Amino acid sequence: MIDTNRLYDIEVAAQSARALADKRFTDLGITLERVCDMALVAMVLTSGTADPTPNLMREGVRLAGILEGSPLCPTILFEQFDPMVRQRFSIAHELGHYFLHARRNESSVYITYLRCDQRRVDAEPTSDDTEAGDIEAEADAFAGAFLLPVDEVRADLAHFGKCVAFLAERYGVSEATMRRRLKALESVHA
Amino acid sequence: MKLVHLSDTHLGYRGQGIEKMVDDPWRPGVPIRQREADLMLGLIRAIDRILEQPHPDVVLHSGNLFDTARPTAHLLDFAMTQLRRLTEVGIPVVIVEGNHSSPRDRSHGHALRLLAHLPRVQVICHGAQRVQVGAILLHAFPHRALLEGFLPDRSELDLRCHNVLVAHGVADGLPFYKTGRPAVDVHVTNYATWYEYIALGHCHLFAQVPGTTTAFYAGATAMVTSGDFRPGHVFSFNRVIFDGPAVTVEREELETRPMHAYGLDDASKLSPAEVLAYLERQVTAVPPHGAYCQVVVEQLDPLARRSLSARAVEELFPSAAGLTVSLRAREQHWDAVRTSLLEGGDAVARFRQLVAQMDGDATFRAAVDALGTDLLARAAAKVAEADAATGGKDWEVEST
């Protein structure tokens, strides 16, 4: 479990990133929609690239996503053969690492690439995730907050009633992601 | 060398639930269900796409071309016409039997064999078989062969060729790949490094088998069963390019009828009117026009469930291409009924109050009322009789 104060910071970071994306999209004459192209969002936010890659792997481990390269122009890679909802979450997860964990001040230093194991990204919390500072759990929390903004989700819950399948489709996430986010909104953001 | 991997076209499947009737794309004026038409269009669109691009060296269908082992004459005609579009431009086609295409009574013969009368079409529906097309060597395991225990054999590989395993079954027995009708488990990860590509059929959604880089389900070319319902999913086929030792797999997405989910996960505190109001708002935000729609309302109060007609829900979706509606009442435990009878103090009065809330006409309610009141009176008399005999000690009723 992530500490409540840290969770609040992550929520604020995700909201700020979303607002920044919204502003930059507006400047480009594009509307940031609920089911937006996350690869494009990542490129606009990081000034880097976001590319699908088949059989994404490092050191024999299959990965859902990678953040690597220069902090000024990072590269996000995500698994080409994953379902679309999974790819969107993986990109948002890597953005979580970018905003929360990458040391962006050391511009001459490469980001040690953050490899996100298929089994860990968007996973049900387990006892392994309970330690403080678990960056994968934090990046998941960021991705949830980025893709499912608290105010919009609450407004939709009031307007449409609680239907995980309907809301998951509306926001372009998996039902498991939506379920976890609703649980987080009930327990932490009450 | 290029290979196209198609699968699970399930021609002839008609779907369940409420579906629009449309013109058969092949026989204008003949009405068929939307699902059946979409499955035919799925194959037409896939072949259109194959022919639009540089032609592949072989088109491979990894099972369940038809939904049944006994396709109609019309479907056979349709399938042969579509296959001829490929063979007439010189593209060979290899079709492998799936579990739906396998006749249970083998004395009837195999309808798929009729397709093998077309030039350049090979059908594999009995034992395991090797088929060579240029430098591509297909090691095909139809449903029947897997059922009879045939297994891939490393000594059958020809290392001068691009070896491709073709099988119709459940990869590694994983539940995700199972469908309504059983198929044989294929232990794909055991063979993943032997072959340059493993073409699987059975699962209707595109998928790469975990733990492998080479094993893929192409998925269906259109939605088959309700198990394939995934809002946002796009059906597809695979294009596989062998360039020396490098193998590239590309997903070729097809025009797909949208799928939309609606409903309420917990309607326990809602009246039928409130349920309909929420659904109406959902329909306004995500119009069901031309889409396959699923409505699931859970945990309805039993009385509300009785009052909420499926017809009223269906009327919110007049433009849907297909609709399934599931309205589920929460389980009514006897304990809850007993508590509810006891909490009013007087069992007869409470019973009559419950009967008054029931659906049905006044005559029916009066009959239930009379029957229940009589039974409760007789039960009370029995209790009084027993109380007189035992002093009431064995007949205390717990009211909590």
Side-chain angles (χ1 to χ4, degrees), chain B residues 73-88:
Chain B
H74 162 58
L75 283 174
L76 280 164
D77 179 25
F78 171 79
M80 288 170 121
T81 309
Q82 294 308 314
L83 294 175
R84 276 181 54 196
R85 293 175 63 205
L86 295 168
T87 58
E88 281 178 355

Side-chain angles (χ1 to χ4, degrees), chain B residues 6-155:
Chain B
L6 281 175
S7 196
D8 290 272
T9 38
H10 283 269
L11 297 173
Y13 184 70
R14 292 177 177 181
Q16 293 171 333
I18 300 157
E19 300 232 349
K20 255 171 58 180
M21 296 301 283
V22 294
D23 260 13
D24 183 332
W26 205 242
R27 295 177 295 179
V30 177
I32 58 172
R33 284 164 68 87
Q34 181 74 68
R35 191 83 58 95
E36 190 175 0
D38 282 356
L39 287 164
M40 294 167 89
L41 285 169
L43 181 60
I44 293 172
R45 285 174 182 147
I47 292 175
D48 287 349
R49 191 68 67 80
I50 292 167
L51 294 174
E52 276 166 16
Q53 297 197 8
H55 292 172
D57 296 286
V58 60
V59 169
L60 167 67
H61 193 294
S62 59
N64 291 347
L65 175 68
F66 299 109
D67 187 62
T68 165
R70 285 181 284 182
T72 60
H74 162 58
L75 283 174
L76 280 164
D77 179 25
F78 171 79
M80 288 170 121
T81 309
Q82 294 308 314
L83 294 175
R84 276 181 54 196
R85 293 175 63 205
L86 295 168
T87 58
E88 281 178 355
V89 295
I91 303 172
V93 179
V94 176
I95 299 165
V96 176
E97 173 207 58
N99 57 334
H100 282 252
S101 319
S102 184
R104 288 177 188 165
D105 184 346
R106 295 171 79 178
S107 69
H108 287 179
H110 218 305
L112 280 181
R113 280 200 169 279
L114 292 172
L115 304 178
H117 290 285
L118 290 173
R120 298 196 187 90
V121 173
Q122 273 194 270
V123 172
I124 300 165
C125 55
H126 289 305
Q129 207 172 314
R130 292 198 315 172
V131 179
Q132 181 142 11
V133 184
I136 296 175
L137 181 59
L138 303 172
H139 303 256
F141 289 79
H143 172 70
R144 175 70 58 184
L146 292 169
L147 211 55
E148 290 172 357
F150 284 89
L151 291 171
D153 180 351
R154 199 168 193 165
S155 68

Side-chain angles (χ1 to χ4, degrees), chain B residues 356-372:
Chain B
Q357 293 171 21
M358 281 173 59
D359 284 341
D361 61 29
T363 317
F364 175 72
R365 282 204 303 274
V368 174
D369 187 297
L371 183 64

Side-chain angles (χ1 to χ4, degrees), chain A residues 54-55 57 62 79-85 157-167 169-170 175 179 182, chain B residues 206 208 211-214 216 231-232 249-251 259-266 278 281-283 285-286 296:
Chain A
N55 297 319
M57 191 182 292
R62 283 300 292 270
E79 174 55 57
Q80 180 179 314
F81 297 132
D82 275 346
M84 186 264 286
V85 289
L157 273 174
H159 188 66
F160 299 116
K162 185 183 170 188
C163 176
V164 167
F166 175 82
L167 293 171
E169 179 187 342
R170 187 166 167 79
E175 288 188 28
R179 211 169 277 121
L182 292 181
Chain B
F206 167 86
Q208 184 183 33
T212 75
T213 55
T214 53
F216 289 86
V249 179
E250 293 169 358
R251 242 189 113 188
M259 295 170 259
H260 297 313
Y262 308 85
L264 292 161
D265 296 343
D266 182 359
Y278 275 124
R281 286 180 207 160
Q282 293 179 7
V283 165
V286 183
V296 180

Side-chain angles (χ1 to χ4, degrees), chain A residues 18 26 65 167 172:
Chain A
R18 183 130 188 139
T26 307
L167 293 171

